[in-house]
Amino acid sequence: MRQYIETRKTLKRVFVLIDSRQGLKSSDYEMFDILKSSHKKFQIVFTKADLVEPKQLASSASLALSEATKIKNFLSPILITSVREDKGLDSVRNEVMKFSKKNLTLSSPHLPPQLRTKLETQAADNPHPPPPLHSGRIISKDDVKKKKSTTMKQKDVDKIRAKISTSSTPSKIKSTRSSPSSSPRQRKMKDKEEEEEEEEGEEEERQRRRRREMKKASKSETKTYKKAP
């Protein structure tokens, strides 16, 4: 937990949840030390407030306030919540909205109904909101600049395609004599090898013709021998 809080750059605020029935524990004091050393802003939220007496809740909250005010990065007020009675949840949502308002849109999944209605009213007031991404995050000017810098212009793409088409002509692919990377000696060696291959092919073709002619001659001799009386 310490490593996560200290190294997480995008962490803007930490909400420390304290059970109203138990009050401050040793783990809460350890969390205060971590937040103090990491200089992360934090806020205290008391949960299950409906399960304790008001006097006990007030004493626990005052003790937490006295300990938290010793740390500079503590943010007031202390939030008291109860899920069963649906108390204090709106105040927590409002605190979250203060620093994550830019990252929430109507397309965000699992959006609470009350928060959705608030965003709908804000969208109605602003007729030209910025277009959101598929993940629900709003596109900023920095995102547009990054996209322009990373995407290649159509003119550059056309130039590259033209170079590829001119460099991959059939004469340059089939023939190795016109390759500029080979030296004159290598070209001569390759030319000689090609000439020898051509001569070997011609010689093979001559031998095939001779064999055909000999077969024809032998067939004609056998026919004349059979016809003779």
Side-chain angles (χ1 to χ4, degrees):
M1 182 67 72
R2 179 184 290 274
Q3 185 179 1
Y4 176 82
I5 293 174
E6 290 179 350
T7 58
R8 191 74 172 178
K9 294 181 179 179
T10 56
L11 188 63
K12 296 181 180 179
R13 188 181 299 189
V14 178
F15 289 91
V16 182
L17 303 181
I18 298 175
D19 194 337
S20 300
R21 298 170 298 177
Q22 299 176 0
L24 285 176
K25 297 185 294 183
S26 59
S27 58
D28 297 323
Y29 285 102
E30 290 176 2
M31 179 59 69
F32 289 162
D33 293 336
I34 294 170
L35 295 169
K36 184 178 180 180
S37 61
S38 61
H39 303 287
K40 296 289 184 181
K41 295 180 180 180
F42 71 97
Q43 198 165 359
I44 296 174
V45 179
F46 272 85
T47 62
K48 302 176 184 178
D50 59 305
L51 300 178
V52 295
E53 295 293 331
K55 290 182 180 181
Q56 183 182 350
L57 181 60
S59 62
S60 300
S62 61
L63 178 61
L65 183 62
S66 62
E67 293 293 332
T69 48
K70 297 176 183 178
I71 306 170
K72 292 181 179 180
N73 43 333
F74 166 68
L75 297 174
S76 60
I78 292 177
L79 303 176
I80 310 297
T81 62
S82 173
V83 176
R84 287 184 180 180
E85 297 179 356
D86 193 17
K87 291 182 179 179
L89 301 179
D90 290 335
S91 58
V92 175
R93 293 191 188 104
N94 291 331
E95 291 296 327
V96 174
M97 282 284 290
K98 286 180 182 179
F99 60 90
S100 63
K101 186 177 178 181
K102 295 180 180 179
N103 297 329
L104 290 173
T105 61
L106 292 172
S107 60
S108 301
H110 309 293
L111 197 66
Q114 295 177 355
L115 188 58
R116 184 178 293 278
T117 54
K118 191 170 185 178
L119 288 173
E120 285 175 352
T121 54
Q122 289 177 357
D125 295 336
N126 186 11
H128 301 289
L133 294 173
H134 67 280
S135 61
R137 187 171 63 84
I138 295 176
I139 297 174
S140 62
K141 292 181 181 180
D142 296 331
D143 296 331
V144 176
K145 288 179 182 178
K146 288 179 183 178
K147 191 174 181 181
K148 286 182 179 180
S149 61
T150 53
T151 54
M152 189 179 290
K153 293 181 180 179
Q154 189 63 32
K155 293 180 181 180
D156 299 332
V157 175
D158 295 336
K159 286 180 182 179
I160 293 169
R161 286 178 180 173
K163 287 180 181 178
I164 293 169
S165 61
T166 53
S167 62
S168 60
T169 53
S171 62
K172 289 188 179 181
I173 293 171
K174 292 180 181 179
S175 177
T176 58
R177 296 178 186 177
S178 61
S179 60
S181 60
S182 58
S183 61
R185 188 175 180 181
Q186 289 176 349
R187 291 176 199 166
K188 287 181 181 179
M189 293 287 289
K190 288 180 181 179
D191 294 342
K192 194 173 183 181
E193 289 176 358
E194 289 179 357
E195 289 176 359
E196 290 177 356
E197 288 177 358
E198 290 177 359
E199 289 177 359
E200 289 177 358
E202 291 175 357
E203 185 64 27
E204 289 177 359
E205 187 65 28
R206 288 171 193 163
Q207 291 178 2
R208 288 173 187 169
R209 288 177 183 175
R210 288 176 187 174
R211 288 171 189 167
R212 290 172 189 168
E213 290 174 357
M214 289 174 68
K215 284 181 181 180
K216 287 180 181 179
S218 61
K219 286 180 181 179
S220 61
E221 287 178 359
T222 53
K223 286 180 181 179
T224 53
Y225 179 74
K226 286 179 180 180
K227 288 179 181 181

